[in-house]
Amino acid sequence: MQGSTASMRRVLEQPISPEEVSNAMRKGGRNKAPGTDGIDLEFYKVNWETIRDDISDTMKQMFMERNVTTQQNHGVIVCLPKSNRPITPADYRPITLLNTDYKLLARVIAHHLPPMMAELLQTSQFCGVPGNTIFEAVAKVRVAIAQAEMTRTPLCFLSLDFQEAFDRISRKYLFKILRSYGFSNWFVERI
């Protein structure tokens, strides 16, 4: 965040508005299981005009004051079978049921990041860079292979699958990387 560190920090550290919460709510899928509080997204949508100010205040407290209760960030892990006759643990897909207010906060924070990704990430990176897709990555690989074949240039191609990589990375390391990119301690401590 070299040149525009101050402006990026302002965007990341601004209070959450009711409009942002409303937008995050609209992006949520239908018929999702609620967390331990039993309140699903449909409740928020149907009652938005009544609860708007209260939910917005809750989001501000959770983010600006870092006031997230144990109940709000508590998740329940449920293992769903991938097939009709699961036999091994690999035949199950674990999901975590989180409370809707916590999911909304995460969605609002995530919405603040994409404009910065293009500046922070390499142009050769495809995941997380706005406008880049996996299809473009495949096309670049094909072009490189075709070019090597046409020029008879030796080429070594290595494909790595970082399946579940995010689940395995140390949060301490991840936060250190975010700080090295210029994200403030204030912001990092809230994610």
Side-chain angles (χ1 to χ4, degrees):
M1 290 203 282
Q2 299 82 358
S4 55
T5 302
S7 65
M8 286 186 183
R9 281 192 178 164
R10 274 194 300 278
V11 169
L12 291 173
E13 297 174 6
Q14 69 186 356
I16 294 171
S17 71
E19 291 74 28
E20 287 181 293
V21 178
S22 178
N23 289 337
M25 212 172 34
R26 281 193 296 262
K27 291 181 182 175
R30 297 191 65 154
N31 300 319
K32 298 289 184 177
T36 56
D37 64 3
I39 302 172
D40 65 357
L41 188 59
E42 294 305 310
F43 172 84
Y44 284 82
K45 288 179 179 180
V46 169
N47 296 293
W48 178 244
E49 291 306 316
T50 304
I51 64 173
R52 174 187 173 176
D53 293 336
D54 292 328
I55 297 304
S56 297
D57 288 346
T58 299
M59 294 291 131
K60 287 177 194 172
Q61 284 181 352
M62 291 171 73
F63 185 64
M64 299 302 292
E65 299 170 23
R66 202 162 181 235
N67 185 10
V68 179
T69 67
T70 305
Q71 287 178 319
Q72 285 171 311
N73 72 4
H74 178 78
V76 176
I77 298 173
V78 177
C79 293
L80 301 176
K82 294 179 183 177
S83 64
N84 289 337
R85 296 186 183 186
I87 298 170
T88 69
D91 295 333
Y92 291 90
R93 180 175 60 95
I95 64 166
T96 304
L97 303 179
L98 297 168
N99 290 336
T100 302
D101 57 355
Y102 194 77
K103 289 191 270 188
L104 286 173
L105 177 63
R107 216 174 276 137
V108 168
I109 293 170
H111 179 74
H112 286 225
L113 296 175
M116 295 159 216
M117 293 294 103
E119 184 176 331
L120 296 173
L121 300 175
Q122 300 294 321
T123 56
S124 60
Q125 184 165 341
F126 289 88
C127 179
V129 177
N132 284 358
T133 67
I134 192 67
F135 300 114
E136 291 174 48
V138 171
K140 280 195 174 192
V141 168
R142 286 184 175 166
V143 167
I145 292 171
Q147 180 68 25
E149 288 175 349
M150 288 175 41
T151 60
R152 299 189 188 279
T153 305
L155 176 69
C156 177
F157 178 73
L158 175 65
S159 175
L160 300 174
D161 181 4
F162 290 105
Q163 184 179 8
E164 300 173 11
F166 187 76
D167 296 336
R168 299 171 196 268
I169 193 167
S170 160
R171 288 184 64 162
K172 186 177 178 182
Y173 173 75
L174 179 63
F175 293 164
K176 184 176 179 179
I177 295 298
L178 288 172
R179 286 184 185 103
S180 76
Y181 275 116
F183 287 89
S184 69
N185 285 334
W186 184 94
F187 180 77
V188 171
E189 290 169 358
R190 282 160 175 76
I191 59 173

